[in-house]
């Protein structure tokens, strides 16, 4: 898929220990995004943060390092992002879902079946 021009960035902020049917929630989000044909998804693990509970989660303290912040970021056209946000209602019971307008300057995906150089 090739994108150029206006798009939307969907950011889902959750905890590393959040689960959906006994698997990490971020894994379920990425797999659903792929099944729905979104352009791509990336998962980023934070080193420190807090959410609605105001409890600090940090990689500096062993006792709190199990539930570090996770950000799942997806960029695609607004129609696909809107459809996927509806899918998140079932998945994200605690966390934050943010949609931002962005400008895509270059995105070139690999062709299926083509090996990396």
């Amino acid at each position: 898929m090739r994108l150029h021009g206006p798009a939307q960035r969907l950011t889902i902020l959750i905890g590393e220990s959040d689960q959906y049917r006994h698997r990490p929630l971020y894994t379920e989000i990425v797999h659903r995004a792929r099944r729905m044909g979104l352009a791509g998804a990336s998962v980023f693990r934070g080193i420190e943060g807090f959410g609605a509970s105001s409890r600090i989660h940090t990689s500096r303290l062993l006792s709190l390092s199990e539930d570090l912040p996770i950000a799942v970021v997806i960029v695609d056209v607004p129609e696909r992002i809107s459809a996927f946000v509806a899918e998140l209602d079932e998945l994200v019971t605690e966390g934050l879902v943010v949609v931002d307008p962005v400008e895509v300057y270059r995105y070139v995906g690999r062709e299926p079946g083509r090996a990396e150089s």
Side-chain angles (χ1 to χ4, degrees):
M1 173 192 279
R2 295 181 188 277
L3 289 175
H4 179 78
Q8 288 184 334
R9 175 180 48 216
L10 171 63
T11 305
I12 304 136
L13 301 166
I14 55 177
E16 186 175 31
S17 66
D18 292 348
Q19 300 274 310
Y20 180 80
R21 296 188 179 171
H22 309 292
R23 75 191 281 196
L25 178 56
Y26 59 86
T27 298
E28 182 66 21
I29 292 169
V30 168
H31 285 257
R32 285 196 188 194
R34 185 170 185 261
R35 279 197 308 268
M36 288 185 72
L38 293 167
S42 297
V43 178
F44 301 95
R45 185 179 193 217
I47 58 171
E48 189 166 39
F50 71 93
S53 70
S54 294
R55 181 174 172 205
I56 297 284
H57 300 274
T58 177
S59 61
R60 292 181 289 135
L61 302 172
L62 282 175
S63 63
L64 299 177
S65 65
E66 300 101 30
D67 194 24
L68 292 172
I70 294 287
V72 182
V73 179
I74 300 168
V75 177
D76 209 317
V77 295
E79 300 78 31
R80 288 183 184 214
I81 294 294
S82 293
F84 193 68
V85 167
E87 188 85 8
L88 294 175
D89 284 342
E90 174 191 357
L91 300 176
V92 180
T93 57
E94 292 181 13
L96 181 65
V97 176
V98 179
V99 177
D100 301 306
V102 295
E103 184 75 22
V104 174
Y105 287 96
R106 185 164 188 253
Y107 170 81
V108 181
R110 290 189 193 93
E111 295 176 25
R114 186 173 164 207
E116 285 188 48
S117 303

